[in-house]
Amino acid sequence: MTDLGRACVVVASTRAATGVYPDKSGPILNESLSGLGFQVSEVVVVPDGDAVGEALRAAIGEHDVVLTSGGTGITPTDVTPQQTAPLLDYEVPQIPAAIARFGVDKGIPTALLSRGLAGVAGRTLVINLPGSSGGVRDAMEVLAPILPHAVSQLRGGDH
């Protein structure tokens, strides 16, 4: 398997972080990224809010890809996009658009309520994913074919 670089998963879930229930999305993302050839250095589970930004700041620059799970909806506590936006040098808006479109095409109209962002911070690709296990599985179906090419481009590879 090709080594695509280092990846980190940040799960934004106050209930999982406080032990109310176990996180399910982090292990799915860990397995998916590892299967693609990434070295997943860690899965960090943090409460919604400022802790998401802290985890992102720690991961950016140390990883080629950082995927977040959770905190992308429209409830008052869903603030992952607000924590992500100021850290990005530029956005790649078609990635979250494709993830939402994939969900809608599967018959999940609420996928349109996701406010997840994708963008580049330095040479790190950061992508916000939904928090549900089904949502992250769907997102990885969209991301699997493009992540190797994206990392290659961020390293200066040709189109």
Side-chain angles (χ1 to χ4, degrees):
M1 175 102 10
T2 304
D3 173 16
L4 292 179
R6 290 173 41 98
C8 177
V9 175
V10 177
V11 176
S13 172
T14 300
R15 290 179 288 183
T18 57
V20 172
Y21 55 66
D23 165 53
K24 294 181 182 176
S25 63
I28 293 167
L29 291 172
N30 184 356
E31 182 179 329
S32 296
L33 288 165
S34 296
L36 288 173
F38 286 95
Q39 299 171 11
V40 182
S41 62
E42 58 186 324
V43 174
V44 182
V45 181
V46 297
D48 292 296
D50 292 342
V52 175
E54 293 168 17
L56 286 171
R57 283 188 290 282
I60 290 169
E62 299 297 319
H63 298 85
D64 298 287
V65 173
V66 177
L67 300 182
T68 70
S69 171
T72 62
I74 61 172
T75 70
T77 59
D78 287 331
V79 296
T80 298
Q82 292 94 308
Q83 292 292 322
T84 303
L87 306 177
L88 299 177
D89 296 325
Y90 55 91
E91 290 188 34
V92 186
Q94 295 308 310
I95 294 174
I99 293 168
R101 187 172 50 254
F102 186 88
V104 170
D105 289 348
K106 282 186 71 175
I108 305 164
T110 54
L112 291 177
L113 297 176
S114 178
R115 300 180 305 112
L117 300 177
V120 175
R123 290 191 173 219
T124 301
L125 179 62
V126 180
I127 306 171
N128 300 151
L129 305 180
S132 69
S133 55
V136 296
R137 280 190 187 96
D138 289 350
M140 286 309 298
E141 284 195 52
V142 173
L143 296 176
I146 66 165
L147 284 179
H149 185 70
V151 169
S152 173
Q153 284 190 317
L154 288 172
R155 290 178 177 167
D158 197 3
H159 296 274

